[in-house]
Amino acid sequence: MNRDIITIALQELVLREGKNMKEVQQYLRMRYSIEADELVLNRRLEKILQTEKAVA
């Protein structure tokens, strides 16, 4: 999967730090002025997790 800003934010904040989606949304809004829907973020996270399972 591409290592874009949203993917990196999800990997860093959710997977490594255990933050929730609201905090990811706030981070993206404040740092990059990106408005991301929670549903979109959840789907992205699912794809990341599926890719990691496939690699492992």
Side-chain angles (χ1 to χ4, degrees):
M1 181 168 221
N2 288 344
R3 302 259 314 150
D4 61 354
I5 293 171
I6 295 173
T7 303
I8 293 169
L10 286 169
Q11 288 175 335
E12 291 291 322
L13 297 174
V14 176
L15 298 177
R16 291 195 183 138
E17 297 181 20
K19 306 282 183 174
N20 62 28
M21 286 300 162
K22 294 291 183 190
E23 291 172 309
V24 175
Q25 285 177 308
Q26 182 179 7
Y27 171 79
L28 291 170
R29 190 177 314 117
M30 299 296 288
R31 177 107 190 232
Y32 300 106
S33 300
I34 295 175
E35 289 290 331
D37 188 37
E38 191 170 346
L39 180 63
V40 173
L41 293 176
N42 282 324
R43 286 186 182 166
R44 285 278 193 111
L45 183 60
E46 287 175 19
K47 285 184 181 181
I48 292 169
L49 294 174
Q50 288 175 355
T51 303
E52 287 181 359
K53 286 180 185 176
V55 172

